[in-house]
Amino acid sequence: EVQLVESGGALVQPGRSLRLSCAASGFTFHDYTMHWVRQAPGKGLEWVSGISWNSGSIDQADSVKGRFTISRDNAKNALYLQMNSLRPEDTALYYCAKSYYGGNSYYFDYWGQGTLVTVSS
Amino acid sequence: SYELTQVPSVSVSPGQTASITCSGDALAKHYGHWYQQKPGQAPVLLIKQDNERPSGIPERFSGSSSGTIMTLTISGVQAEDEADYYCQSAGSGGIYSVVFGGGTKLTVL
């Protein structure tokens, strides 16, 4: 059974940093591209960042470029999101998601339950 | 940059058919996918690659796509189908970039 368990969410002040983690199990982690997707309270889904199986390629949303860094440790079956210079608009539930390449676009076949990040003074 | 547009809300009576549309230039070049999200839960993949149902998804859910528009159809809507529905496709950034629609709230009357 595929499981994705996020952790690391917290209440932080604007300008501070936070590191999210996602522990993966039930599938061959190093075979798949992984992503972070967030959802602000009462709002829709927003893609944040994706990383290739070997960390060789990374993409990020414009809204987090220069502030957030995605990484992974295949030996530990873990995905990370380093979040720097946090802003109130980064307040959201952050989901770790396993992706699959379907023909010509990625989709997310498994999601974690999310970890909540609140940025407020 | 690619954007996907959805109507904010759709209402339907139980047993009727609901259609939820998603439009955007990305859909002319890339497959689209649909997710269902119920309150307090993570999204669930509902339809992949325009019209394929993952294992475990009921047959009443179907998808189609033509040009820049894709449609999620729910036949014989049940009360348990009340949820938010999101479309998704490739983004206009790098190969891993992704774009979501704004979501459609389905209300079962």
Side-chain angles (χ1 to χ4, degrees), chain A residues 45-66:
Chain A
L45 301 171
E46 179 188 15
W47 173 76
V48 174
S49 188
I51 185 169
S52 64
W53 66 276
N54 64 352
S55 304
S57 295
I58 289 172
D59 281 320
Q60 298 172 300
D62 289 343
S63 58
V64 305
K65 268 180 186 171

Side-chain angles (χ1 to χ4, degrees), chain B residues 46-47 53-54 56-63 73-76 78:
Chain B
L46 205 58
I47 297 290
R53 265 191 323 275
I57 300 301
E59 290 184 6
R60 64 180 183 276
F61 293 96
S62 63
T73 302
I74 311 172
S75 304
Q78 301 180 5

Side-chain angles (χ1 to χ4, degrees), chain A residues 39 59 102 104-106 108, chain B residues 30-31 33 35 37 88 94 96:
Chain A
Q39 186 169 34
D59 281 320
N104 59 20
S105 69
Y106 283 93
F108 305 113
Chain B
H30 302 280
Y31 285 121
H33 321 286
Y35 303 86
Q37 187 180 34
Q88 176 251 307
Y96 304 121

Side-chain angles (χ1 to χ4, degrees), chain B residues 1 11 13 22 27-28 35 53 57 59 66 80-81 85 87 89-92 97 99 103:
Chain B
S1 62
S11 299
S13 299
C22 173
L27 301 177
Y35 303 86
R53 265 191 323 275
I57 300 301
E59 290 184 6
S66 178
E80 66 195 52
D81 298 332
Y85 293 85
C87 60
S89 187
S92 53
S97 76
V99 62

